[in-house]
């Protein structure tokens, strides 16, 4: 039998262990921007009202899963459902910053220090971010701007996640696992989709305006063979006026290598993964019924969205997976 421990601490420092009255718990994490969210329900006749900013602590089988703060409540005749979010929630705050000559790590640290976030650098991102004025932008988008540059130029993808109350800067390469799911082992349902209509491009066009000379320079990187197969799918971007010709060409080639591919996604329901498995983790997938449709078993997929549900002493997981490659030309 699972051991679920759900404790809350009110703003006036009163602590309650409410596991016995909670009958439905779900925890959702996403790869980008959105905070982790914990939902749990209690009968409406239970004499417990949780104010906003009440802290919530979830452990399952002594594994730390979630630490966050109540931000939503929904009450019906029979049920009160609370939603708590982790520290990522506060990265939606907007502010203005100007960073010049800073690495992505230094920007992450500066913002966390300014806003007094609890944080940790798991992996250094030493990419020096181009100078930029961030005027009225979310804290998340300001930090992520540096990670986006690092991805294009170094093929190393960094993310921010809240790990049980600590904001972490971490590379997706550090989140690879040996976990394996398959239709004949622990997958209970799945849906597989291949697409080139959302974020697939075989032609990258970068333009640079020179206001002094009154001219526009154009740089193109393309895959002629893939254009014959798919037609022209063009990615268009205006680049900084101070970027050098070599920098622009490198960016165009790097963007083409990242985006010149099919986007493969899978929605899966399964069991048997750890309680703290989450978005950002990698795992190996085998779906034998899809092999005739060209699906290749035992490849690595990255978890984009992950929802755990603990209900009636059962633990189920819903996953959205994408097949990304962080290798140049992969």
């Amino acid at each position: 039998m699972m051991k679920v421990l759900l404790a809350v601490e009110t703003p006036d420092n009163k602590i309650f262990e409410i596991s016995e009255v909670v009958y439905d718990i779900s925890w959702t994490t996403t790869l980008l921007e959105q905070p982790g969210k914990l939902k749990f329900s209690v009968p409406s006749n239970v004499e417990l009202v949780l104010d906003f900013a009440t802290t919530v602590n979830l452990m399952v089988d002594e594994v730390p899963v979630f630490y966050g703060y109540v931000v939503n409540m929904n009450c019906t005749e029979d049920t009160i459902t609370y939603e708590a979010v982790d520290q990522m929630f506060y990265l939606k705050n907007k502010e203005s910053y100007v960073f010049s000559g800073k690495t992505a790590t230094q920007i992450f640290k500066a913002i966390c220090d300014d806003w007094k976030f609890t944080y940790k650098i798991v992996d250094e991102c030493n990419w020096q971010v181009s100078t930029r004025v961030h005027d009225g932008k979310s804290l998340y988008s300001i930090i992520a701007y540096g990670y986006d540059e690092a991805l294009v130029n170094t093929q190393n993808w960094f993310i921010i996640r809240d790990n049980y109350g600590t904001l972490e800067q971490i590379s997706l390469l550090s989140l690879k696992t040996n976990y394996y799911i398959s239709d004949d082992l622990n997958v209970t349902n799945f849906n597989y989709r291949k697409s080139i209509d959302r974020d697939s491009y075989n032609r990258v066009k970068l333009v640079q305006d020179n206001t002094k000379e009154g001219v526009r320079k154009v740089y193109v990187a393309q895959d002629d063979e893939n254009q014959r197969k798919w037609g022209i799918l063009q990615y268009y971007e205006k680049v900084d006026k101070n970027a050098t010709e070599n920098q622009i060409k490198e960016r165009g080639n790097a963007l083409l290598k990242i985006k010149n591919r099919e986007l493969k996604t899978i929605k899966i329901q399964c069991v048997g993964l750890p309680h703290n498995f989450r978005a950002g983790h990698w795992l190996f997938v085998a779906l034998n019924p899809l092999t005739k449709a060209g699906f290749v078993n035992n490849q690595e997929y990255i978890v984009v969205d992950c929802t755990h549900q603990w209900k009636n002493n059962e633990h189920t997981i819903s996953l959205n997976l994408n097949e990304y490659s962080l290798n140049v030309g992969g």
Side-chain angles (χ1 to χ4, degrees), residues 201 203-206 233-237 251 255 259:
Y201 301 95
R203 189 174 195 263
V204 174
K205 184 176 183 179
L206 304 180
L233 302 175
Q234 179 170 288
Y235 177 89
Y236 180 94
E237 180 182 300
R251 178 170 178 80
L255 280 168
K259 295 182 177 294

Side-chain angles (χ1 to χ4, degrees), residues 110-130:
I111 289 177
C112 287
D113 286 336
D114 284 351
W115 291 79
K116 296 181 172 54
F117 296 137
T118 302
Y119 70 93
K120 178 180 180 181
I121 307 298
V122 179
D123 295 305
E124 289 280 351
C125 183
N126 293 318
W127 175 258
Q128 185 169 310
V129 182
S130 59

Side-chain angles (χ1 to χ4, degrees), residues 30-44:
T30 63
L31 184 60
L32 301 175
E33 190 166 3
Q34 293 299 316
K37 298 178 181 179
L38 186 78
K39 290 185 179 181
F40 55 96
S41 299
V42 298
S44 57

Side-chain angles (χ1 to χ4, degrees), residues 35 53 69 71 85-93 115 117 139:
Y69 315 90
V71 294
V85 295
D86 61 27
Q87 208 174 186
M88 289 280 291
F89 174 76
Y90 297 99
L91 291 179
K92 72 177 185 177
N93 286 319
W115 291 79
F117 296 137
L139 302 180

Side-chain angles (χ1 to χ4, degrees), residues 181-209:
I181 58 175
S182 72
D183 60 282
D184 57 3
L185 179 66
N186 51 2
V187 171
T188 58
N189 198 5
F190 63 86
N191 181 280
Y192 177 58
R193 185 173 189 263
K194 292 198 300 182
S195 171
I196 62 168
D197 74 348
R198 285 182 291 165
D199 192 37
S200 298
Y201 301 95
N202 49 30
R203 189 174 195 263
V204 174
K205 184 176 183 179
L206 304 180
V207 298
Q208 182 185 48
D209 291 329

Side-chain angles (χ1 to χ4, degrees), residues 149-189:
E149 280 199 349
L151 173 60
V152 170
N153 290 279
T154 70
Q155 284 71 58
N156 194 352
W157 188 343
F158 290 85
I159 63 168
I160 313 166
R161 68 173 191 174
D162 184 296
N163 186 9
Y164 200 63
T166 298
L167 282 184
E168 293 183 338
Q169 173 182 283
I170 190 168
S171 165
L172 285 186
L173 296 176
S174 295
L175 295 175
K176 291 196 173 192
T177 77
N178 291 322
Y179 294 122
Y180 171 85
I181 58 175
S182 72
D183 60 282
D184 57 3
L185 179 66
N186 51 2
V187 171
T188 58
N189 198 5

